[in-house]
Amino acid sequence: MERTYLMVKPDGVQRNLAGEIISRFEKKGYKIVGLKMFRMSRELAEKHYGEHAGKPFFESLVDYITSGPVVAMVIEGKDAVSAARDMMGATNPLKAAPGTIRNSYGIEIGRNVIHGSDSPASAAREISLFFKEEEIIEYSRDVDRWIYE
C-alpha cells in the first residue's frame, strides 16, 4: 500500500470544507493514518515550497499558506498518490474535471482548497516534514476486505 500527503489549505478550512474533503477520501476507500490541524510557520512553509524559492510567486505562496490553519493528513491505499491527484483535479479549478475537489470548490488557482503530493518521492518528503513517525498510526480495518481483492 502507498501513502500520500494531503493538506486542506487555509481557504478550504475557512470555508468549512475540511470535513467534506476528508470524507471524499474515506468514502473512496482510503485509510487515514495521520490527521492534524495547525497553523504553518513561515520556516516550515519555506521548506515545503522550497522548490519554488526564487520564483516570482514564492513569497505570496508562503504568505498565503501561513495565513490561517490547515488540515494535514496522510492517507494510505492502492496507488494513493495518483488516485488522490485524480480526485483533486487540475491545479487550476476552472480546468479541473467535473466532480473533482478543485472543480467542485474552487474558482481561482490561488484558492484551490487542497494540496497533494505529486509523486511517491514528494509524498515521503512531505509526510516527514509535517508528521513525526509516531503520529502515523498503523491499524487494520475490517472493511478493507470489501475494498481490496
Side-chain angles (χ1 to χ4, degrees):
M1 292 294 149
E2 187 175 66
R3 289 181 176 167
T4 194
Y5 174 75
L6 301 170
M7 176 175 52
V8 180
K9 296 178 182 180
D11 58 318
V13 173
Q14 292 292 330
R15 293 176 57 203
N16 299 313
L17 297 172
E20 172 65 27
I21 291 168
I22 292 166
S23 177
R24 284 189 179 212
F25 290 98
E26 287 184 308
K27 288 176 181 174
K28 181 74 174 176
Y30 288 96
K31 178 167 62 171
I32 296 173
V33 296
L35 180 67
K36 62 182 169 181
M37 182 180 202
F38 63 98
R39 189 163 189 161
M40 198 179 306
S41 70
R42 182 165 190 85
E43 178 184 355
L44 184 56
E46 288 175 354
K47 283 182 189 173
H48 177 61
Y49 289 122
E51 66 195 47
H52 300 299
K55 295 180 182 172
F57 58 87
F58 179 73
E59 286 300 319
S60 63
L61 197 58
V62 170
D63 287 346
Y64 168 67
I65 206 68
T66 59
S67 69
V70 299
V71 174
M73 66 182 137
V74 179
I75 65 166
E76 180 180 274
K78 187 174 183 182
D79 299 320
V81 173
S82 62
R85 300 289 299 172
D86 288 345
M87 290 174 67
M88 290 186 304
T91 304
N92 182 342
L94 296 177
K95 294 182 179 177
T100 62
I101 293 166
R102 289 175 173 151
N103 173 268
S104 295
Y105 304 118
I107 294 175
E108 292 193 356
I109 198 167
R111 299 291 185 268
N112 64 10
V113 306
I114 189 168
H115 165 83
S117 301
D118 62 5
S119 69
S122 291
R125 183 183 75 77
E126 291 175 340
I127 290 168
S128 70
L129 267 179
F130 294 101
F131 286 87
K132 297 174 186 164
E133 196 172 308
E134 64 269 16
E135 293 177 314
I136 305 295
I137 309 300
E138 297 278 346
Y139 65 101
S140 60
R141 301 180 306 177
D142 291 336
V143 72
D144 283 344
R145 69 188 183 105
W146 300 106
I147 298 170
Y148 299 105
E149 293 183 276

